[in-house]
């Protein structure tokens, strides 16, 4: 079974907003052996749908989707699961898993706490 990872960001029409996500994906792609794609939920490309279709066309059979969100709000409770459900219907050969958002990981909370603490001390 071939496995891939999609980093899912919200999306914005502003290229300056998109830049840190592209940098993160490029950095991770160099470190991982797993195929990695960056996709957006809305407002810019590549979309989640396009990324899943491309990976499926390349023989991937299992895709984990990691939301680059701080928390699971309406988008992650309703919109994205709806997108994943539609993708599963369109690609029955795929096993798609929607992971918890990065903001729920203890290491993320610790890293963010460290950054905020350092910034507060320097101001």
């Amino acid at each position: 079974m071939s496995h891939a990872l999609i980093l899912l960001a919200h999306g914005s029409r502003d290229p300056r907003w998109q830049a840190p996500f592209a940098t993160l994906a490029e950095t991770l792609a160099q470190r991982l052996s797993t195929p990695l794609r960056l996709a957006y939920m809305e407002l810019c490309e590549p979309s989640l749908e396009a990324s899943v279709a491309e990976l499926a066309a390349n023989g991937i059979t299992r895709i984990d989707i990691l939301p680059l969100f701080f928390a699971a709000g309406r988008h992650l409770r309703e919109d994205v699961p709806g997108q994943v459900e539609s993708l599963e219907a369109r690609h029955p050969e795929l096993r798609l898993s929607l992971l918890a958002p990065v903001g729920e990981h203890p290491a993320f909370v610790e890293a963010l706490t460290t950054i905020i603490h350092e910034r507060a001390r320097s101001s």
Side-chain angles (χ1 to χ4, degrees), residues 3-101:
H3 171 250
L5 175 64
I6 294 177
L7 302 177
L8 180 67
H10 182 277
S12 170
R13 290 180 185 90
D14 185 344
R16 293 169 299 181
W17 180 93
Q18 296 172 27
F21 295 98
T23 300
L24 173 64
E26 289 167 14
T27 301
L28 282 171
Q30 294 171 11
R31 295 181 185 182
L32 299 176
S33 58
T34 303
L36 176 80
R37 298 294 184 274
L38 173 61
Y40 299 98
M41 191 191 85
E42 61 183 8
L43 302 175
C44 58
E45 294 294 326
S47 67
L48 179 59
E49 291 80 5
S51 296
V52 167
E54 183 239 329
L55 289 166
N58 288 321
I60 297 296
T61 57
R62 183 169 69 96
I63 301 172
D64 289 333
I65 302 165
L66 178 59
L68 300 178
F69 289 63
F70 276 13
R74 182 183 57 82
H75 283 317
L76 290 184
R77 286 191 317 269
E78 299 172 17
D79 301 335
V80 176
Q83 286 178 293
V84 170
E85 189 176 305
S86 293
L87 287 164
E88 288 172 328
R90 216 173 308 154
H91 300 279
E93 75 283 6
L94 293 178
R95 195 171 102 214
L96 301 174
S97 298
L98 180 60
L99 306 175

